[in-house]
Structures are given as C-alpha cells and as structure tokens.
Amino acid sequence: MRILICEDSALLREGLVRVLEDAGHVVVAPLADAGHLDQTVDETAPDLTIIDVRLPPTWTDEGVRAAISLRARLPRLAVLVLSQYVEERYASDLIASSDGALGYLLKDRVADVSDFLEAIDRIASGATVLDPEVVAQLLSRRRKDERMQRLTDREASVLALIAEGRSNQAIAKTLHVTEGSVEKHITAVFQKLDLEPDESGNRRVLAALAHLEHGGSRPATPGGTTPQMGTNR
C-alpha cells in the first residue's frame, strides 16, 4: 500500500515510516506539516494518508482541516487521523464529512503495532475505524445532547437564564411571567435533565453546567464578575 504521512513529531514520523515499511508498505512522503500536503498527494497518489490533528504553525486544527479538505476533494482517498487526546469537535466534524475509508485513532494505539497495522488495512479496504475512547466520548456527548433536546423553547430560555446566575424572581421579570410559572419550568427542566432532588441546591448548578456543555454561553455581569448560581430550589 502507498502511504503518505503528515506528522510534525520527527520521532513519531520516523517510527511510523519504519513500522509501515517493515510491514511491506511504501511510504511515498513523510511530511512535517500540511503546507504542501495537497500538492504532494496529487504528485504521489497515495492509497492512504496519515495526518496528525494538530500541525504547525498553530498546532490547533490544521491537520483535521486538511483531512476534511482532502476527503472533500478526493472522496476515495483513505484517511487516518492521529490525535494525542480525544477531541470531540474535530472527531465529529471529520466523521460528518466522511463516507467510509476513515480512521480516528489515539497515538497510544500506534504502540500496539499489530493493532495499528490491522487498522490501516481495514481503513484502506473502505472501513471506518474509530478509537474506543473516541466512540465513548461521542456517545456521552450525544446522550447530553438528547437530554437538552427534551426541553421546550421556554424551558431552554429559563435554563439559559439559570446559567447566567439569575434568581427565579429575575427570570420571571425577564420573561414577563410569574414566579410560579418559573418554578414549574425549572421543575420540568430538572426532570428532563434527569437531575434527582437534593437539599443542597446542586441541581441548579448541574442544570447550568449541562447548558454550558451543550454549547450555551454565560455572559459576564456588569463589571466583568462571574455570576453566581442562585440557591432557589
């Protein structure tokens, strides 16, 4: 198999070259960054490209953006993305842009040579191979999303205001409803988020965290201070 490697760590890059060549594969190019990735892919016509998620110059998302771009331009090119840690957003973006012949593995998996080479073969044959840790975190994120989707628009608005640290009275004033209505909405939010009753007021904090993890924002209060969670309910 003809394989292109794009990995900024010289040690890992050379290690991958050795492992792959010892297994009978041909490494057509070992690149340290994605600057000439497209050109090199066109010139060498690899069967599979191995790309690090984070590459120079910013070491943020150059690698995964390059992988998504390659997938869009060359749908038949098999791509394996390597990452030091599970990065849910990048994994989700990559999977959403893919239709088979894709891998997302943690770099620790490369240490098990036989498993790594097996993953390479499966990806090249058109399979999608995801690291177990990636799958676990994506499923956890999906469960969180499903909980949030249970909320009505009004309940979501109430939760967003809870996350801003508003009291029930302030929420009622903002939404132009009674405090009794706010109480009912908050009770419904707790139930739909599967938050069990307690006597410490933690449910309010946990609900706010669920909102923030789902992508909600908590603006700063005047003066730049961080709002505190009310203890109502």
Side-chain angles (χ1 to χ4, degrees):
M1 187 192 316
R2 295 170 57 80
I3 300 175
L4 184 149
I5 300 171
C6 190
E7 163 61 55
D8 67 288
S9 167
L11 185 61
L12 179 56
R13 187 171 63 251
E14 293 306 314
L16 287 171
V17 171
R18 175 71 61 86
V19 166
L20 293 169
E21 290 184 342
D22 285 351
H25 300 296
V26 176
V27 177
V28 297
L31 304 178
D33 59 61
H36 297 92
L37 179 60
D38 284 342
Q39 178 183 343
T40 307
V41 167
D42 291 341
E43 292 174 350
T44 59
D47 302 305
L48 180 143
T49 299
I50 299 174
I51 305 177
D52 188 359
V53 164
R54 298 180 179 228
L55 291 170
T58 68
W59 285 274
T60 54
D61 62 351
E62 282 89 350
V64 75
R65 285 193 288 107
I68 291 173
S69 176
L70 278 176
R71 295 287 298 174
R73 190 167 67 87
L74 303 169
R76 295 184 179 181
L77 176 63
V79 173
L80 168 59
V81 172
L82 296 178
S83 180
Q84 188 67 44
Y85 310 103
V86 178
E87 308 200 47
E88 295 177 18
R89 180 171 62 85
Y90 297 152
S92 297
D93 290 347
L94 187 64
I95 294 168
S97 71
S98 172
D99 183 20
L102 171 73
Y104 189 113
L105 297 177
L106 297 185
K107 291 184 178 180
D108 288 348
R109 306 294 174 189
V110 180
D112 191 320
V113 174
S114 60
D115 284 352
F116 175 68
L117 292 175
E118 180 186 359
I120 289 288
D121 289 338
R122 290 172 59 199
I123 295 164
S125 66
T128 296
V129 178
L130 302 178
D131 193 284
E133 287 295 323
V134 174
V135 174
Q137 292 205 26
L138 290 178
L139 287 176
S140 175
R141 179 180 178 182
R142 178 170 295 179
R143 284 195 293 270
K144 292 175 184 175
D145 288 349
E146 287 173 350
R147 287 192 310 161
M148 297 298 295
Q149 289 170 7
R150 301 172 190 170
L151 305 182
T152 65
D153 290 343
R154 176 63 82 185
E155 290 162 357
S157 297
V158 169
L159 178 54
L161 292 170
I162 289 175
E164 292 180 16
R166 307 286 187 94
S167 67
N168 288 7
Q169 182 180 12
I171 293 173
K173 184 176 181 180
T174 300
L175 298 179
H176 305 290
V177 297
T178 66
E179 285 189 54
S181 294
V182 172
E183 290 278 348
K184 290 179 181 178
H185 290 312
I186 291 175
T187 297
V189 167
F190 291 159
Q191 291 174 343
K192 292 180 180 181
L193 296 184
D194 301 323
L195 298 176
E196 297 295 329
D198 62 42
E199 297 181 359
S200 63
N202 285 340
R203 286 199 298 175
R204 203 174 181 92
V205 176
L206 292 173
L209 289 175
H211 168 73
L212 296 173
E213 288 174 359
H214 184 64
S217 60
R218 180 171 58 189
T221 56
T225 58
T226 301
Q228 302 297 313
M229 298 302 162
T231 57
N232 297 25
R233 296 192 64 79

